[in-house]
Amino acid sequence: ETGVTQSPTHLIKTRGQQVTLRCSSQSGHNTVSWYQQALGQGPQFIFQYYREEENGRGNFPPRFSGLQFPNYSSELNVNALELDDSALYLCASSPVPGQGLGANVLTFGAGSRLTVL
Amino acid sequence: GNSVTQMEGPVTLSEEAFLTINCTYTATGYPSLFWYVQYPGEGLQLLLKATKADDKGSNKGFEATYRKETTSFHLEKGSVQVSDSAVYFCALSSDSGNTPLVFGKGTRLSVIA
C-alpha cells in the first residue's frame, strides 16, 4: 500500500504571495488532516477534511483554506503569505474521522517545507 | 486548554546508554497519550501509545507509562542505538479519537558510536 505523499517538498515564496500544497492520502484512507510545524516546534493542527468538507479547524486565520477531492487527495492553500508562515506543512491521512484524530491510524507524509522571504 | 511539555534537547548519548525523555501534560478528562518519532527527511511515525492510566506503551525497545497522578508519560529505552537518532514528540488527544493531536515541541536525540 502506498503511504501519504506530499508535493512540493520544498518551495520559496515572498510575502503577499499565495501557495498551494498537495497531498495524496494513503490507499483506503478518506480523511485528511493538515498540520503546521514551525522550526523547533511541534506540529499544530490546521484543519481536517472528510467527504470533501472541512471537519474541524485549529486556531488558524481564514487565509488558510483547503480542499478535498473525490479521490480523497487534498490541497492546502495559504493566501497573503507572511514571514511567520515559514514552516514544514504536514499532511496526515486516516481511515475515518474520529478514529483518526488522536488515534494511532494517522499516517503522516514527509511534509512540504515552505520558506517565505 | 490541552498542552504537552517535554524536555528540551538536544540530547546526546553514547551507544548503549539509557534514555529518558520527560513528558508532562495538561488536559481535561482522560486523554490518550502518544510518542511520535521523526527521522531526518521523513514524516512522523507513531512509536507507541497509551489510552488509560497505568497503561504501558512499548515498541522497538521504547517504553512509556501513563501516570495520571503525575500527569506524565516519560519515554525510556534501556540501550540506545545510533539508528535511534531522531526527533521525538510527545502528544495527546483529549478523548478516544475525536480531537486533533496536541504535540510537544520535540526533543532531538543524537546517539554517537
Side-chain angles (χ1 to χ4, degrees), chain A residues 35 37 42 45 98 101-102 104 106 109, chain B residues 34 43 46 89 93 97-100 104:
Chain A
Y35 287 78
Q37 185 180 3
F45 175 70
L101 290 176
N104 68 340
L106 275 177
Chain B
F34 307 85
L46 179 69
F89 292 92
S93 172
N98 292 317
T99 58

Side-chain angles (χ1 to χ4, degrees), chain B residues 4 10 18 23-24 27 30-31 37 47 54 59 65 74 80 86-87:
Chain B
V4 173
F18 184 86
C23 171
T24 58
Y30 301 91
V37 59
L47 182 59
D54 300 325
N59 186 26
T65 301
H74 305 322
V80 293
V87 182

Side-chain angles (χ1 to χ4, degrees), chain A residues 72-117:
Chain A
Y72 309 128
S73 66
S74 177
E75 287 182 354
L76 164 65
N77 299 290
V78 187
N79 294 322
L81 284 167
E82 301 175 0
L83 297 179
D84 286 348
D85 295 333
S86 296
L88 180 68
Y89 288 86
L90 296 167
C91 173
S93 70
S94 53
V96 292
Q99 289 187 21
L101 290 176
N104 68 340
V105 291
L106 275 177
T107 302
F108 282 87
S112 294
R113 185 165 296 284
L114 170 65
T115 301
V116 182
L117 302 177

Side-chain angles (χ1 to χ4, degrees), chain A residues 5-18:
Chain A
T5 58
Q6 295 186 241
S7 63
T9 54
H10 296 84
L11 70 166
I12 300 173
K13 294 284 188 177
T14 57
R15 275 186 305 173
Q17 285 189 312
Q18 179 266 344

